[in-house]
Amino acid sequence: MTDAGYISAKEIQVRTMSRIIGGQDIIAVAPEGSGKTTTYVLAVLMKLKYSTDEAPKVLILVPDGERVEAVIAQFKMLSGNRNLRIMGLYGTGGTEETILDLLEGVDIVVATPTRARAVYLKLGLNLNRLQMLIVDDAEVIVKQGMQLPVCELARSAGKVQHLIFTTVVHEKLNHMIDQFLTFPTTIEVEELGEERVETHQLLLYQVPNFKTKINLLNFMLRDDEVFEKVVVFVNTRLTAQKLSKSLVAYKPGEVLVLNPLFFDEAGFDHIEDFKEAKGARMLIVANEGNSSPDLSGIPFIFHLELPEQKELFLSRVVKNSDEEAVAITFTTDLELADLRKIEQSLGFKIPVMDLPEDLVVDKVEKSPGNKVKTVKETIDDSPKGGGAFHEKKESNAKNYNFGIGQKLKMTMKKKHG
């Protein structure tokens, strides 16, 4: 630890280590760079007893191959005086060579959920001796849609200690971990920047989905006396084009796009033209393909989507002059991790506002099979066919559906009956 430069324990380590060593299931919530990976690496090294078993004792699930390599490097750095067998599983392609390597014996497996599941289904990953199942960067795994392989592996592992490490907790994450966690202990650590950045007034609205973002934007911008000039940021030019079509309750020329996707669409090539145009109220700007426009003189800035680079967001909200502006951000659950990184840089949390009572909140309807319902089925009792169509007699009507095996048996009986 000393050679690696660790002088004192971080808060997340102080608050979780004794519980992990004691065998509790943990949900550790802490920002990026707070020491979550080091926490579980040290816990595994302290708990893992030497054995010659071929089956792994610890399975660590991470979002991608880069994280697999980083976690393995951390283990190797902190276990220099121990003979640990550790293996990474990621990528695509054949699994035969991987299975042969696993059969030689391994203590710790670090893997992406999809790859671990693929090897497990081919009987190459033995979970019978597993003692700890760790899910790192859980919020990223949920964002990438890998909940199913995580849940399948967790249920297959049986009774083991579960450690979940994430930067945020939201409904989709809870839905995943509730399927295999029973009575976990949640430990949350907030580490904000030491210096508080001076910004414009910041407001945050948390909504369930993108359609509700559009509804909220429409709802707020009804007040044309307050919102005379508004810039709305989205991530792609395609989203900007679609958003301009979705905002239909405005007069022609009120909603425009900066550098529109198609040449025949209404828009501006420069933000200065928008500032001077009297009838133009809203300018939609895509982060993609546009350099940071000069926002001076714009009283309201909306972030309908958070940019991938937090520095881009900060450059728009940090106060550089005496001008006053209001920066309003809409986020869904899957954007909360990016929001936490921004708040860490700001040195404070953006206040969350209540949604208006009259806001229409779109909800995705799901059928009992957990599939999204997109088409309404109608039952038509009228006969199908042309003018010469006649319904079959009841005696000739087919009300059964034999499988191929049943048909084969019936055919054989006719031949030899």
Side-chain angles (χ1 to χ4, degrees):
M1 288 288 291
T2 306
D3 293 341
Y6 294 98
I7 307 301
S8 60
K10 293 192 175 184
E11 185 180 354
I12 189 70
Q13 294 154 3
V14 171
R15 295 180 59 185
T16 59
M17 194 63 72
S18 60
R19 294 178 181 272
I20 296 173
I21 300 301
Q24 290 186 21
D25 283 6
I26 297 290
I27 301 173
V29 187
E32 191 178 58
S34 59
K36 297 190 295 294
T37 303
T38 307
T39 300
Y40 69 74
V41 168
L42 291 174
V44 168
L45 293 176
M46 283 190 278
K47 289 195 69 174
L48 200 61
K49 301 293 188 289
Y50 175 78
S51 72
T52 57
D53 290 337
E54 294 178 354
K57 304 296 181 301
V58 180
L59 174 61
I60 302 169
L61 300 177
V62 295
D64 52 49
E66 187 178 343
R67 282 295 294 151
V68 170
E69 294 293 344
V71 172
I72 291 175
Q74 189 87 334
F75 267 105
K76 289 180 178 178
M77 180 178 67
L78 297 177
S79 62
N81 59 344
R82 295 189 62 179
N83 186 21
L84 273 180
R85 299 170 296 173
I86 185 168
M87 184 174 175
L89 304 180
Y90 61 92
T92 56
T95 59
E96 289 77 11
E97 186 177 346
T98 300
I99 292 172
L100 291 175
D101 291 339
L102 285 167
L103 289 174
E104 292 180 5
V106 63
D107 299 307
I108 303 166
V109 172
V110 186
T112 58
T114 50
R115 189 63 171 177
R117 177 176 177 264
V119 176
Y120 172 76
L121 291 177
K122 290 193 175 183
L123 306 180
L125 182 60
N126 185 355
L127 302 179
N128 293 333
R129 301 292 181 87
L130 207 65
Q131 298 172 8
M132 299 174 72
L133 173 63
I134 301 169
V135 183
D136 194 10
D137 291 332
E139 80 287 352
V140 181
I141 286 175
V142 171
K143 189 175 183 178
Q144 294 178 354
M146 295 188 286
Q147 299 96 311
L148 179 61
V150 171
C151 292
E152 286 187 0
L153 290 165
R155 288 194 292 263
S156 301
K159 192 175 182 180
V160 299
Q161 183 182 13
H162 302 94
L163 306 179
I164 311 297
F165 291 87
T166 179
T167 58
V168 291
V169 174
H170 49 67
E171 186 180 351
K172 288 184 174 64
L173 177 61
N174 283 329
H175 181 70
M176 177 184 77
I177 60 182
D178 284 350
Q179 297 184 50
F180 55 87
L181 288 182
T182 311
F183 297 108
T185 301
T186 301
I187 297 172
E188 188 165 0
V189 172
E190 289 185 2
E191 288 188 3
L192 298 172
E194 295 180 1
E195 294 185 7
R196 184 185 176 97
V197 179
E198 187 179 359
T199 66
H200 296 299
Q201 183 181 358
L202 303 183
L203 303 176
L204 175 67
Y205 288 88
Q206 295 183 353
V207 295
N209 48 51
F210 191 79
K211 287 189 70 177
T212 306
K213 287 184 179 183
I214 297 175
N215 295 343
L216 180 57
L217 186 64
N218 265 320
F219 184 92
M220 296 178 72
L221 296 186
R222 287 178 190 171
D223 193 340
D224 55 0
E225 292 183 3
V226 173
F227 296 101
E228 288 183 317
K229 285 287 181 181
V230 172
V231 170
V232 180
F233 287 101
V234 294
N235 280 335
T236 67
R237 296 176 70 193
L238 180 60
T239 304
Q241 185 257 345
K242 288 182 176 179
L243 179 61
S244 67
K245 303 296 183 185
S246 301
L247 302 172
V248 293
Y250 298 92
K251 298 174 185 176
E254 282 192 325
V255 179
L256 301 113
V257 179
L258 184 66
N259 296 317
L261 188 61
F262 302 111
F263 70 91
D264 57 344
E265 289 185 348
F268 292 114
D269 293 331
H270 304 285
I271 194 170
E272 298 302 325
D273 298 333
F274 167 71
K275 293 176 183 179
E276 295 171 3
K278 291 184 179 180
R281 282 182 58 205
M282 183 196 307
L283 182 66
I284 304 172
V285 182
N287 298 322
E288 170 192 64
N290 285 311
S291 57
S292 295
D294 178 14
L295 297 175
S296 59
I298 302 295
F300 293 97
I301 304 164
F302 283 83
H303 280 96
L304 209 66
E305 295 179 304
L306 288 177
E308 293 181 3
Q309 297 83 19
K310 65 179 181 181
E311 292 78 15
L312 196 55
F313 180 93
L314 295 172
S315 68
R316 296 166 183 164
V317 302
V318 172
K319 204 169 182 181
N320 297 317
S321 65
D322 294 333
E323 286 188 0
E324 296 292 335
V326 180
I328 302 171
T329 304
F330 299 165
T331 62
T332 62
D333 284 350
L334 296 181
E335 293 173 299
L336 289 179
D338 296 325
L339 177 68
R340 293 293 175 265
K341 293 177 184 177
I342 290 170
E343 290 177 333
Q344 204 174 356
S345 299
L346 291 174
F348 63 92
K349 302 197 82 169
I350 302 174
V352 180
M353 310 304 292
D354 293 329
L355 296 177
E357 291 183 2
D358 298 334
L359 176 67
V360 177
V361 178
D362 280 85
K363 294 183 179 178
V364 179
E365 292 185 9
K366 293 188 178 181
S367 63
N370 289 332
K371 292 183 179 177
V372 177
K373 231 177 170 183
T374 54
V375 180
K376 291 183 179 179
E377 295 183 0
T378 56
I379 299 174
D380 186 3
D381 293 331
S382 61
K384 306 294 186 295
F389 175 82
H390 299 284
E391 288 192 8
K392 291 183 179 180
K393 293 180 181 179
E394 189 176 346
S395 58
N396 294 331
K398 179 181 175 182
N399 54 10
Y400 53 83
N401 187 20
F402 291 126
I404 187 66
Q406 291 170 294
K407 288 180 180 179
L408 185 60
K409 289 179 182 178
M410 291 167 66
T411 305
M412 296 300 289
K413 281 185 179 179
K414 286 181 181 178
K415 285 185 177 180
H416 302 288

